[in-house]
Amino acid sequence: MLAAPEDVAPAFRDAWMARDGDAIAALFVQDADFVNVVGIWWQDRAAIGRAHGYALQSFFADTRLVLGRVKTRRIGGDAAVVHARMILTGQRAPDGTAAGRRVTILSFVMERRGDGWLCVSAQNTDIVPGAETQVAGAEGLAATDYRG
Amino acid sequence: MLAAPEDVAPAFRDAWMARDGDAIAALFVQDADFVNVVGIWWQDRAAIGRAHGYALQSFFADTRLVLGRVKTRRIGGDAAVVHARMILTGQRAPDGTAAGRRVTILSFVMERRGDGWLCVSAQNTDIVPGAETQVAGAEGLAATDYRG
């Protein structure tokens, strides 16, 4: 349980750096939603914990996650949205080589539960510099700039 | 102003199909956040309206947007999260050819304002079948499955 909604961002970072899927799961309510960067939509805390635990033991095992800007918006007394920029380095590519740096925007929807706050919904999106949208082609989706 | 939070999904679809950026903007509060599929983060209603209006007059001019599953979660009396699957066809690629079909998850965070509801935050993510996460390589980001 978190003391304030914006605490979710450093708590997520800390759980990530500890490679602790259970600590990530503990930030969420039991029936939480989580949409990841490729549209995988988990709909319960256990699945969110398992998926992150697996990734943190494999392709994210050597990553460093750093928080950028965190923006918090309260909605009445019992809800909030927290947008957090996240900078991820140290990922491994499928062939074992070092992959590049990623910057994402991870947004959390927070609900007051008793004395604290938990996340009911999260969604993560990679920032693709210079792109406007995605285009579906023969090779799959490609982030694209139409302006030239 | 919307009568119920879940009305945002069909209202967004209708505004899209009318190619009406102003009607999209009208679903949002003045200082709303919107994170699009490539991580562009608009932070006011006017920017959300302009960006959608431009896209709907150009590469999305001939698109058809169809709603899939819509899931609504109330958070207390004054907030809600709405997840909507969206199926988009008819997009043009930068070279003018027909692009493929996309399926996205567009989530809306809704706030009660007086007699109705407005969106304070939205985020959209493409579903990439078979992918687990993104990898940053020499060619940019690529949706990747490490398991296969």
Side-chain angles (χ1 to χ4, degrees), chain A residues 69 71 73 85, chain B residues 29-34 41-48:
Chain A
R69 178 183 176 208
K71 175 182 180 181
R73 176 198 303 266
R85 275 214 179 80
Chain B
V29 300
Q30 189 278 323
D31 64 342
D33 293 286
F34 193 119
W41 183 1
W42 299 294
Q43 299 186 60
D44 67 274
R45 174 169 58 199
I48 294 167

Side-chain angles (χ1 to χ4, degrees), chain A residues 55-123:
Chain A
L56 288 164
Q57 300 303 322
S58 52
F59 47 89
F60 290 146
D62 301 318
T63 49
R64 179 159 182 249
L65 188 66
V66 173
L67 283 186
R69 178 183 176 208
V70 176
K71 175 182 180 181
T72 305
R73 176 198 303 266
R74 297 273 188 149
I75 308 172
D78 297 324
V81 187
V82 179
H83 286 78
R85 275 214 179 80
M86 303 262 180
I87 301 99
L88 182 68
T89 53
Q91 185 174 341
R92 281 201 308 271
D95 65 3
T97 60
R101 173 180 181 269
R102 295 167 52 200
V103 183
T104 74
I105 300 169
L106 177 50
S107 66
F108 303 93
V109 183
M110 306 299 295
E111 180 172 2
R112 187 193 295 277
R113 292 274 175 115
D115 289 339
W117 293 80
L118 287 171
C119 183
V120 296
S121 179
Q123 189 156 341

